Amino acid sequence: IGIFDSGIGGLTVAGAIKRILPNESIVYFGDTAHLPYGDKSKELIAHYAVEITRFLLEEKHCKAIVIACNTASAAAYEALRDTYKGTVPVINVIDPMIEEVIADESLRNLGIIATKTTIASGVYQEKLSRRKPSLHYSALATPLLASMIEEGFYNSNISNAVLSRYLSDQALADIDSLILACTHYPLIKSEISNYYQKKIKLFDSAEEVALKLKSILKNENLLAVS
Ligand code: DGL
């Protein structure tokens, strides 16, 4: 399975895949040369994603691709899916999250935090409005978080200060749930949860993506046996 992200964030997804599909072998590509993706244009990110996918398929002979990055999923998923239609399954991290969120009847006021490019793409907003118009949501770009995590600043005074600044934004007032729409953010999930005194529901896509991958591999007869 070829998995990629701009850096270590996608390892949160790779970890879930390893746990749910222990027989599969994984090639992980962290594009740290171009990190962070979140403040780059969609076109540039799509270009990186196409090149990485080509490398994983042609050089590493992967049988499926997981775009373990929300920003790259927002920028390049449709193009990659269409290019490899009928040959290689391509999975993004956004759709499994949307499915999980819309199935949850307990949510009233949902927050979404992500990189600038993901928020500006409007992909979460568009899918949520279309699939569940009754759900109230608000989206906030939190551009420093991915780089901060990548630099190892988490569970520290620095990360706490940056997080409090973002999470106290008016856009997120009164939320009862929050989508961590960047694969780096599960690494600060406990800090986020503590900020809200564990009172709100947090969603990250890792497990749902791994389950989705499992069902696709099964349907396509691509599961590794041992
Ligand atoms: N982990 C990525 C995401 O899910 C991107 C972080 C970045 O490079 O800005 O959006």
Side-chain angles (χ1 to χ4, degrees), residues 37-49:
Y37 277 4
D39 54 13
K40 296 189 171 61
S41 71
K42 276 180 87 170
E43 292 71 23
L44 190 54
I45 297 160
H47 169 72
Y48 297 148

Side-chain angles (χ1 to χ4, degrees), residues 5-10 34-39 68-72 93 114-115 118 143 146-147 150 181-185:
D5 177 42
S6 60
I8 60 171
H34 300 124
L35 179 107
Y37 277 4
D39 54 13
C69 172
N70 286 264
T71 314
V93 287
T115 66
T118 301
S147 302
E150 193 75 27
C182 169
T183 53
H184 280 72
Y185 301 173

Side-chain angles (χ1 to χ4, degrees), residues 97-108:
M97 178 92 95
I98 296 285
E99 294 306 324
E100 190 186 2
V101 165
I102 63 170
D104 190 327
E105 292 299 334
S106 72
L107 313 181
R108 294 288 167 267

